[in-house]
Amino acid sequence: LSCCHHRLLPFTPGYGLYSRATKVNLHILHTNTATAIKMIGWAVSEGISVTAEMNPMHVFLTWKDVEKIGPYALGSWTPPEHAEAIRAAWKEAPFTLIMATDHSPHTREEKEIGWTDMWQAQGGAPCIEHYFPLLLKDVNEGRLSLDRVVHLCSEAPAKLFGFYPQKGTIQVGSDADITIVDMSKKKTIVGSEIQTKCKWSPFDGWELHGLPVSTLVRGREVMRDGQVVVSPGYGKFVAPAR
């Protein structure tokens, strides 16, 4: 069971109580308020099965970005007091937390109308390519540990969705899924050069510090220096262990 649109609305105890009464696992999407974080922590302390997802874009894009790039930064904005709570949860949440992107590669045409009528503009942004490097930038700036990033982006999702230990860890018997990062490497994001077909990014012009330079899936290199180096069809469906 999942519940989304948790942006500026508080998480209420009711969700947790429903989860306990029905004995289902409750997963909260787009957790984006300090109140929601507190209430999810309360539910977990009560023995209720609640997990949460957060989108780094909610923290990285500030009101200055909204003023600068308008509809390309929306639809979401997190006030500073909530952004601080989210960052604190990234470091040490008292519940299972995973990172996600809510990747929404809308066209420029779908966004441009927002300059005159924001209600008509499509929300979301293409984030899947840059969320991990942005977290590595946080590591270099001392905001997060590299171990915590690995947990949020790999280990925790694999455990939550039943792929662990086939995925989410490096050990004998697991798939050789490995991302190699260069923590000293820097790069400026250029929207027109991203892999996603829409060819724009809300992070256009941002400098990254710390980049993935190679990705292996089942022991085979599939990405090298930002370019896909494997043919379509290499992907393989993985059924969760239940």
Side-chain angles (χ1 to χ4, degrees):
L1 177 67
S2 65
C3 178
C4 62
H5 303 302
H6 231 291
R7 293 181 178 163
L8 294 179
L9 298 175
F11 175 91
T12 64
Y15 290 130
L17 296 177
Y18 292 151
S19 177
R20 181 162 60 189
T22 58
K23 298 181 180 179
V24 300
N25 298 322
L26 175 64
H27 186 61
I28 306 297
L29 308 183
H30 315 327
T31 307
N32 199 27
T33 67
T35 304
I37 293 168
K38 289 179 181 178
M39 296 311 301
I40 294 170
W42 168 84
V44 171
S45 72
E46 290 289 308
I48 302 171
S49 178
V50 184
T51 57
E53 169 254 49
M54 290 184 179
N55 184 343
M57 178 179 169
H58 293 160
V59 170
F60 290 128
L61 293 179
T62 67
W63 187 252
K64 289 183 178 180
D65 297 297
V66 175
E67 292 180 325
K68 180 179 179 181
I69 61 177
Y72 291 95
L74 296 175
S76 68
W77 168 68
T78 304
E81 63 272 20
H82 295 292
E84 291 175 8
I86 291 172
R87 281 197 177 276
W90 289 0
K91 286 185 176 182
E92 192 176 9
F95 49 83
T96 297
L97 171 65
I98 67 172
M99 287 292 184
T101 65
D102 200 23
H103 181 68
S104 303
H106 295 291
T107 64
R108 287 185 178 274
E109 289 75 18
E110 291 175 311
K111 285 291 190 179
E112 279 294 318
I113 192 173
W115 290 112
T116 54
D117 185 354
M118 184 64 76
W119 297 107
Q120 294 298 316
Q122 293 293 323
C127 300
I128 198 167
E129 186 172 342
H130 297 127
Y131 92 104
F132 184 57
L134 285 168
L135 291 172
L136 295 181
K137 185 172 184 284
D138 262 17
V139 173
N140 272 319
E141 293 175 353
R143 294 176 178 267
L144 276 174
S145 70
L146 187 57
D147 284 347
R148 184 63 176 166
V149 171
V150 172
H151 175 78
L152 294 170
C153 299
S154 182
E155 182 183 2
K159 288 181 176 178
L160 177 60
F161 295 110
F163 302 132
Y164 190 90
Q166 182 179 356
K167 305 288 185 180
T169 185
I170 301 175
Q171 64 182 40
V172 175
S174 300
D175 287 350
D177 297 340
I178 302 170
T179 296
I180 301 170
V181 301
D182 183 342
M183 294 302 295
S184 65
K185 193 168 185 177
K186 295 182 179 181
K187 177 184 177 180
T188 299
I189 296 174
V190 179
S192 61
E193 296 177 356
I194 70 173
Q195 295 290 329
T196 303
K197 290 182 179 180
C198 67
K199 299 302 179 185
W200 64 268
S201 170
F203 306 110
D204 197 353
W206 288 38
E207 185 178 72
L208 300 172
H209 186 188
L211 294 171
V213 294
S214 179
T215 298
L216 283 71
V217 175
R218 304 193 306 277
R220 180 176 176 182
E221 188 177 44
V222 298
M223 184 281 289
R224 183 188 310 124
D225 294 327
Q227 300 299 315
V228 176
V229 294
V230 70
S231 300
Y234 182 70
K236 182 180 179 181
F237 176 75
V238 179
R242 296 299 183 193

